[in-house]
Amino acid sequence: MKITVAGLGYVGLSNAILLSRQHEVTAIDITAARVADVNAGRSPIVDAECSDYLASGALNLRATVDPHTAYAGAEIVIIATPTNYDAETHAFDTSSIESVIAAVTAINPDALMVIKSTVPVGYVASLKARTGCANILFSPEFLREGRALYDNLHPSRIVVGEVSARGERIAEMFRAAAIKTDVPVLLTHSTEAEAIKLFANTYLALRVTFFNELDTIAMADGLDAREMIETLCADPRVGDHYNNPSFGYGGYCLPKDSKQLLANFGSVPQQMMRAIVEGNDARKAALARAILARQPRRVGVHRLVMKQGSDNFRQSAVQDIIALLDDAGVEMVVYEPAWTEDTALGHRVERDLRSFGDACDVIIANRMTPDLVPFGPKVFTRDLFGQN
Amino acid sequence: MRIAIFGLGSIALSDALALARTHSVVMTGPLADRVAAINAGAYPFEDPGLADYLKRWPLDLRATVNPAEALRDAEMVLIASPLPHCPQTGGFLTAELDAAIAAAVAQCPGVPVVIRSAVPVGHTCRIRARLNAEALFYAPEFRRESHALTDTLHPAQIVVGARGEAGRAIATVLRDAALSDVPVRCIGEAEAEAVKHFSQAYLAARVAYFNELDSYAMMHDLDARQVIDGVCLDPRIGGGANNPCFGFGGQRLPRSTEHLTDTFGKASGARVLPRLAEANAARMDVLVAKVAARGAARIGVYRPGGPAEFDTLAELTKRIASTGTRIETFDGPEGSPAFERFTADCDLVLSQRMSPALAAISDKLFCRDHYMT
């Protein structure tokens, strides 16, 4: 089957690789460098499995910047372009999706378009009504950054937002592309599928916030958070995962998805949705207060990335802590080997860990790493378990 | 060993049943009819594993209304007295529990006294200081209300709020009451007290979350079950405690969330914990609006088993009654002629949980149970 994937971010790239193990796949992106990377067998994102598969040369995959080359003759177009959350309109910016749809409709109107980008609840139904185009369905992705291809090869479930024969065909295409067998498949209505994505990520945001609040309380009252979390999570109803205190949930998905869902609620009475969004800000404020209570002369910021093994700076929680410390007039130095410029967020970037550590009296780190051990009590972290 | 247990409720009974396999256990509490039932071997307690357990194990277990008799020669005392809710302050009424501890400490000096009820954070420490009771401990339990005995015999862990040797000695007794090999965790006392409430609060947050998902689905005419199924297929989210209801209720969840909020929530800048009670109120607003939209002149409330503390169905009923709608309540068994009359008489029937008999009248039913659990 001829498949085109629009967008070479981690969702698009991992889907392109996944499907090109069995199908003829063309990927399209507006960034020429990403296209060149893929055609040269290099991964434009940090993802071990993506790099391995691209380097293997065993994929039926090529990339282009040209819409005609990409869309002509494709039976299926997977849309995986970015939909950033717009804080002013309180909604995802879906314009990139609509540009792809316009191009596909003009070049190859018979292609079936499958939206993988995260969209507001109710988006596809209103889009179909607005454009009159019926060849669109939504299928949410459930990928972790840095493990995108792995999660595509071993999906927790496949959800397709259309209860129809072609919905079944799309589900079967993804199921057949996975390595894992016995993957549950769920065909739902389109709005329900959109809601699944946002409610799943917002639940994870709730979980992170719950354990962060436990930690904030423990910190304020001198309780041992580790003992409490280990005890709480030995209960199988709670489960021992996603419970390591942090500077707040961050990354590309959780902050924007929880805000989008809160906006989607509109006038529907709720308290949890707002608490999940506000709880993340309250956590950062509590941590900033705890850092300031140490009366630091100069704070060192250890890493700007959200997770170990990720190259993603977007929406990392530490950036908001930096902003809060900025407001308090604290001097800061940043240690981030993956940063190419001399300053980050208005602060000097230091690439030598030793001189970075010596220059600061408090080092803040979302995650504890072995390289921080020599700095002992200077390190301010809430990481209890040394893992993402 | 002789063990005295204060309390006749499900926490006390499940401990007593499990310990009485290997120890001589005497329970005590002021309710004479419960005491008589226990002495007759008719345990006022529901658990799917109870009948089999009683058949299999001979028990050395009796009860008395006289605390002094229960405490005679006791080598260990468990305190599982009820902690009623104070409607004025919203806090716990600890008088009965405190009196039990005082009696145990007075009659059995030096004997370990272990609190099992979910006391307020810091309570064990305060009572120890007040009574100069060195051997007072707190050990939380994490059982499901409906499976209290099963979860005592096969717990995920044994937790005692005392680090070191003293904690381990108590943990060993509690662990030996289990039938499976379980890990033991000896942690700080305040940590143990707090984690008990956090565990209830986690479940409350989960219930509240899925209720808000259901509210959203209801207001937008979505199939809530499709959404919940899709969300919970994520192994990090999982199943259980995800079936919508009229709000989290019962004795435990609302009280723990309230206690945590009062103790810590406001000062710490937490947002989720202090909002849990309000989440129940927001849920109620949605339910009231949806019931009103059905325009029923006569509303039936199906409540098998009668009312309970923190009953969210009762709250919903009260809210609807305040609009002047006629309400009829039925608490008998479904399928009976009286049940048939009740459902025929009403334009709309409210029920917390779904059942096959209720499914048969689905066009006049208001129920948010999507899984019949």
Side-chain angles (χ1 to χ4, degrees), chain B residues 7 39 62 89 101 124 146 177 184 186 212 238 359:
Chain B
N39 284 330
R62 63 192 179 86
T89 66
I101 297 170
T124 311
S146 55
V184 159
C186 295
E212 289 194 358

Side-chain angles (χ1 to χ4, degrees), chain A residues 135-183:
Chain A
N135 289 345
I136 307 171
L137 56 81
F138 175 72
S139 170
E141 54 80 15
F142 305 103
L143 314 175
R144 292 168 297 176
E145 281 180 57
R147 302 305 305 276
L149 180 55
Y150 180 88
D151 287 347
N152 252 329
L153 293 165
H154 305 87
S156 58
R157 73 282 209 199
I158 291 162
V159 177
V160 175
E162 193 176 280
V163 188
S164 65
R166 66 182 189 181
E168 269 172 39
R169 217 172 78 230
I170 295 296
E172 175 54 26
M173 175 184 82
F174 285 119
R175 200 197 56 73
I179 290 174
K180 189 179 148 195
T181 51
D182 296 330
V183 178

Side-chain angles (χ1 to χ4, degrees), chain B residues 22-104:
Chain B
T22 47
H23 301 287
S24 175
V25 176
V26 187
M27 302 179 74
T28 182
L31 304 174
D33 54 341
R34 282 197 158 234
V35 164
I38 290 165
N39 284 330
Y43 302 106
F45 174 73
E46 272 180 42
D47 186 290
L50 179 62
D52 271 355
Y53 180 77
L54 293 176
K55 228 178 284 168
R56 178 137 179 233
W57 301 99
L59 303 178
D60 183 353
L61 171 61
R62 63 192 179 86
T64 168
V65 289
N66 179 1
E69 188 190 328
L71 286 168
R72 192 178 309 135
D73 303 325
E75 294 156 86
M76 185 171 184
V77 183
L78 301 189
I79 310 286
S81 308
L83 281 171
H85 186 249
C86 173
Q88 280 81 44
T89 66
F92 295 89
L93 293 171
T94 61
E96 185 179 341
L97 176 115
D98 295 348
I101 297 170

Side-chain angles (χ1 to χ4, degrees), chain A residues 121 142 144 156-157 159 163 184 186-189 191-192 195-196 198-200 202-204 206-207 209-211 213-214 216-217 221-224 227-228 230-232 234-238 241-242 261 264-265 268-276 278-279 282-283 286 289, chain B residues 142-144 156-157 159 163 185-188 190-191 194-195 198-199 201-203 205-206 208-210 212-213 215-216 219-223 226-237 263-265 267-276 278-279 282-283 285-286:
Chain A
V121 183
F142 305 103
R144 292 168 297 176
S156 58
R157 73 282 209 199
V159 177
V163 188
L186 196 61
L187 296 192
T188 69
H189 310 306
T191 306
E192 278 77 352
I196 285 169
L198 294 186
F199 275 108
T202 305
Y203 186 85
L204 295 175
L206 166 63
R207 197 170 157 107
T209 305
F210 184 89
F211 287 103
E213 289 193 1
L214 184 155
T216 301
I217 288 167
D221 284 70
L223 299 173
D224 186 326
E227 280 188 353
M228 289 168 66
E230 282 175 350
T231 305
L232 185 54
D235 184 335
R237 290 171 297 178
V238 182
H241 59 273
Y242 242 71
L261 187 56
N264 267 119
F265 262 76
V268 177
Q270 50 77 23
Q271 290 287 336
M272 300 300 290
M273 302 300 143
R274 180 169 305 283
I276 292 164
E278 292 180 359
R283 168 67 167 174
R289 284 195 298 275
Chain B
F142 300 93
R143 302 160 187 156
R144 290 168 294 172
Q157 59 183 340
V159 181
R163 301 184 184 105
R185 210 183 287 280
C186 295
I187 65 175
E191 281 82 357
V195 79
F198 272 106
S199 118
Y202 182 81
L203 292 177
R206 188 171 162 104
Y209 186 83
F210 284 101
E212 289 194 358
L213 183 161
S215 291
Y216 184 84
M219 299 302 260
H220 286 88
D221 287 322
L222 301 183
D223 183 332
Q226 281 190 350
V227 181
I228 297 170
D229 283 345
V231 167
C232 294
L233 279 171
D234 186 326
R236 296 167 300 178
I237 300 172
T263 312
F264 305 114
S268 69
R271 292 293 180 278
V272 170
L273 283 171
R275 289 271 177 75
L276 287 170
E278 294 164 46
R283 172 67 169 167
D285 290 343
V286 174

